[in-house]
């Protein structure tokens, strides 16, 4: 970590978790064989009519990513569950033969455990993606997948998020019969390299953060596969840097929220090279025309050129580009916090494990 | 409209659309018979395995409401579609026998038209809920339902939203076999009365807005059936009052965003009397403990007492309470805008019909 970024010990711990991501992602790439096997069993042999994703907070953004992987890659409808349907209202939507996939770093959220238990009793195939194999969620699901991020102690989840994304890609893409452009297992290895190259931009990100320390409210916009990365970066900006940041899809931001564009509403654009790129490039122009400062996190030169500033990551297939983009976003949130004299490793009023019902 | 609230002619038009809601809702109640008939055909006779909801912007919040109605009331899984899956990525998730329900005031969004056309070709039962029967969406769907809000010209949708909610309730609740507590068609009539009583609070809302004109950033929090109303009120605050307002479920706001609580982050609490109430009451206490001013929109005395201030609406079954709560939220957004000297009827940079792909 660069000297000026050092804050408390908690900040140093958080930064080490951010820096660990290349290693964590290499670990996921090394497990691609077993993940592909489980994926072919889940999606190929069982041919479910529906996938239901269950998660909260950061892991819910990984679930949004899974939804795009499943609907685009497998052409299977996927639904993001509202746990309150099960926990507060006691309803039991018919899920026989569905694959119900829960994501949770801690595996300790009672609501997720209840949804998965109910779904399993109802005949669904249940899968838990967790970072804690000794968790209640791991106990209750039929199949348990370790995302392998290693112990994560910071309140703001970082390495567990990108480990979830890579694990989901490894679990779903091999069953996609080529509907999504990626180069198989080898591409997963390149994700780890792209993550390392992103982390290596720490000094540039820190210098940028000192210039932009006055950014207090902002939108973070993606579309398609990059939309979940935008949601997650907005949450990191809230948690670490106390910024009022909201994540949007490029389509939805035009349905009203764009009214707030202007010098006090910087717009971040997150996206790779693929079908969603043109829409983001167009949005960058609309944002700038309205006076919003723009920042791109991308591997697409076209998007970087359309924005006022950009952090570029190494080129990847679109479906995997949200991983290094999310890392750059985490780094930006961390350094914005430090530039403001905040301690991103110890945000006020939130806890690592949130026990909602 | 109270004298001091008069701004431009566009503001007066918007206020008339807000005021029209009791009449519009009485119209939906009058059509309950035909809506119940179609609902029993869709959900009862056809027994679909899945419902897919397709919408953008304000209507997407109505779709979130439909999701709770369908999952809790019919115990049928419901998925909120991501149009980009269909339009940008060209995927065709398998939707044979599903009910695909699109909501749109204008019925003119090309992405929604494309999703519904593709779903119908794939064998889904398609339904369009529109406010314009002469629209492309109405043309492409098998079943067309007029929400009957009458011409809506203001950029910020108001009466079309509550008309959508009431129409969805009338279309889904009669098939719920008593799983949701409401008193049948008669309850729909009471919604119109509750809307009239909400509109009658205009002077109190205007006076409140003058005191709170400095609120610039805020969270609007609901849970369960009230969650879509929270999302919609946040959007109205953005569109009309240029406030950086974000909608959350009471569960998700605890997974990180609560870190921003404090005097500069008022928290609005939206909810009726039902299983979600306790969670909102608890959140009100957490918000106040963290220094956030709190405002409740509710018919529950318990929640009003837990917050610093409240606007109470007439008592309704929980499932219908989001309708008057949304109206109070629209009125609050309108008057906050006017108290700041803004023109809520003519927000900058957005258009009535958004043509995204």
């Amino acid at each position: 970590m660069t000297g000026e970024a050092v804050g408390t010990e908690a900040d140093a711990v958080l930064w080490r978790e951010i820096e660990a991501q290349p290693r964590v992602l290499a670990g996921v790439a090394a497990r691609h064989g077993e993940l592909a096997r489980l994926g072919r069993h889940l999606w190929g042999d069982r041919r479910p009519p529906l996938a239901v994703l269950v998660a909260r907070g950061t892991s819910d953004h990984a679930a949004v990513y899974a939804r795009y992987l499943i609907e685009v890659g497998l052409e299977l409808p996927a639904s993001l569950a509202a746990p309150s349907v099960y926990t507060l209202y006691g309803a039991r939507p018919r899920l026989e033969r569905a694959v119900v996939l829960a994501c949770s770093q801690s595996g300790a959220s009672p609501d997720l455990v209840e949804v998965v238990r109910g779904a399993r009793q109802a005949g669904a195939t249940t899968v838990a993606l967790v970072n804690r194999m000794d968790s209640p969620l791991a106990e209750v699901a039929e199949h348990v997948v370790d995302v392998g991020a290693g112990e994560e102690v910071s309140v703001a989840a970082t390495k567990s998020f990108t480990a979830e994304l890579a694990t989901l890609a490894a679990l779903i893409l091999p069953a996609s019969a080529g509907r999504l452009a990626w180069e198989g297992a080898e591409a997963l290895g390149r994700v780890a390299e792209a993550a390392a190259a992103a982390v290596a931009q720490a000094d540039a990100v820190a210098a940028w953060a000192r210039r932009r320390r006055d950014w207090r409210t902002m939108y973070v916009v993606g579309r398609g596969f990059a939309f979940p990365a935008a949601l997650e970066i907005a949450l990191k900006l809230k948690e670490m840097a106390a910024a009022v940041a909201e994540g949007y899809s490029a389509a939805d931001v035009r349905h009203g929220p764009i009214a707030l564009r202007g010098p006090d509403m910087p717009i971040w654009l997150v996206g790779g090279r693929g079908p969603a790129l043109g829409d983001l490039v167009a949005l960058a122009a609309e944002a700038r025309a309205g006076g919003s400062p723009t920042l791109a996190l991308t591997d697409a030169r076209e998007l970087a050129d359309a924005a006022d500033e950009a952090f570029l990551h190494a080129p990847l297939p679109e479906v995997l580009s949200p991983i290094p983009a999310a890392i750059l976003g985490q780094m930006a949130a961390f350094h914005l916090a430090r530039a403001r004299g905040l301690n991103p490793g110890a945000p006020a009023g939130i806890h690592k494990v949130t026990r909602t019902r």
Side-chain angles (χ1 to χ4, degrees), chain A:
Chain A
M1 178 159 49
T2 55
E4 67 259 21
V6 178
T8 62
E9 174 57 23
D11 295 344
V13 168
L14 171 58
W15 186 258
R16 281 197 294 274
E17 290 176 351
I18 291 172
E19 278 187 329
Q21 291 176 98
R23 206 164 59 246
V24 169
L25 292 164
V28 177
R31 291 196 302 280
H32 72 87
E34 56 178 293
L35 291 166
R37 251 191 319 279
L38 174 58
R40 277 189 291 263
H41 169 69
L42 291 175
W43 315 115
D45 304 349
R46 300 235 175 162
R47 302 189 62 75
L50 170 71
V52 176
L53 305 158
V54 196
R56 286 277 185 211
T58 287
S59 295
D60 197 37
H61 304 153
V64 174
Y65 178 70
R67 176 256 192 75
Y68 285 95
L69 287 173
I70 292 167
E71 293 205 327
V72 178
L74 310 178
E75 296 200 311
L76 189 71
S79 169
L80 296 155
S84 66
V85 166
Y86 303 80
T87 58
L88 295 184
Y89 296 105
R92 291 288 172 265
R94 299 193 297 269
L95 296 176
E96 310 91 57
R97 298 193 53 239
V99 167
V100 174
L101 195 159
C103 291
S104 171
Q105 192 282 129
S106 70
S109 249
D111 46 359
L112 307 190
V113 174
E114 186 173 338
V115 175
V116 170
R117 183 181 290 123
R120 192 169 178 182
Q121 284 165 356
T125 302
T126 53
V127 187
L129 237 79
V130 292
N131 195 36
R132 293 288 302 268
M133 295 295 278
D134 59 342
S135 60
L137 193 60
E139 213 154 283
V140 82
E142 181 182 353
H143 302 278
V144 185
V145 179
D146 186 354
V147 301
E151 192 187 23
E152 186 179 66
V153 300
S154 298
V155 170
T158 54
K159 62 181 182 171
S160 65
F161 176 66
T162 52
E164 286 171 347
L165 296 194
T167 302
L168 287 163
L171 198 62
I172 297 166
L173 287 171
S176 86
R179 265 184 295 262
L180 275 168
W182 74 305
E183 302 96 42
E186 180 257 335
L188 282 173
R190 288 209 288 127
V191 170
E193 292 166 30
V199 168
Q201 296 187 59
D203 287 343
V205 174
W208 166 88
R210 286 191 294 275
R211 293 197 306 276
R212 302 298 170 222
R213 59 197 289 170
D214 292 333
W215 284 9
R216 304 267 163 191
T217 57
M218 54 202 95
Y219 290 148
V220 187
V221 181
R223 186 130 196 231
F225 288 100
F227 173 47
L231 293 173
E232 176 60 8
I233 293 167
L235 180 57
K236 293 308 103 169
L237 285 162
K238 281 200 180 92
E239 289 177 328
M240 295 188 202
V244 185
E246 187 165 358
Y248 271 108
S249 92
D252 282 319
V253 80
R254 290 188 177 95
H255 280 261
I258 194 82
L260 297 190
R261 68 187 173 164
D264 295 332
M265 186 58 85
I267 298 186
W268 301 39
L269 302 143
V270 185
R273 294 162 303 137
L277 182 62
D279 195 30
L280 281 180
V281 170
L283 186 69
E286 293 163 44
R288 292 179 68 180
S292 285
T294 49
L295 168 69
L297 306 180
T298 186
D299 60 351
R301 178 48 69 186
E302 202 178 338
L303 182 57
D305 288 346
D308 299 315
E309 345 181 69
F311 290 108
L312 283 160
H313 62 76
L316 283 176
E318 185 201 16
V319 68
L320 297 172
S321 68
I323 296 174
I327 295 173
L328 288 169
Q330 295 162 354
M331 294 165 60
F334 180 95
H335 282 294
L336 263 186
R338 294 297 307 131
R340 282 188 198 149
L342 299 175
N343 293 117
I350 48 176
H351 309 284
K352 182 64 179 167
V353 179
T354 311
R355 298 183 193 278
T356 48
R357 277 199 73 245

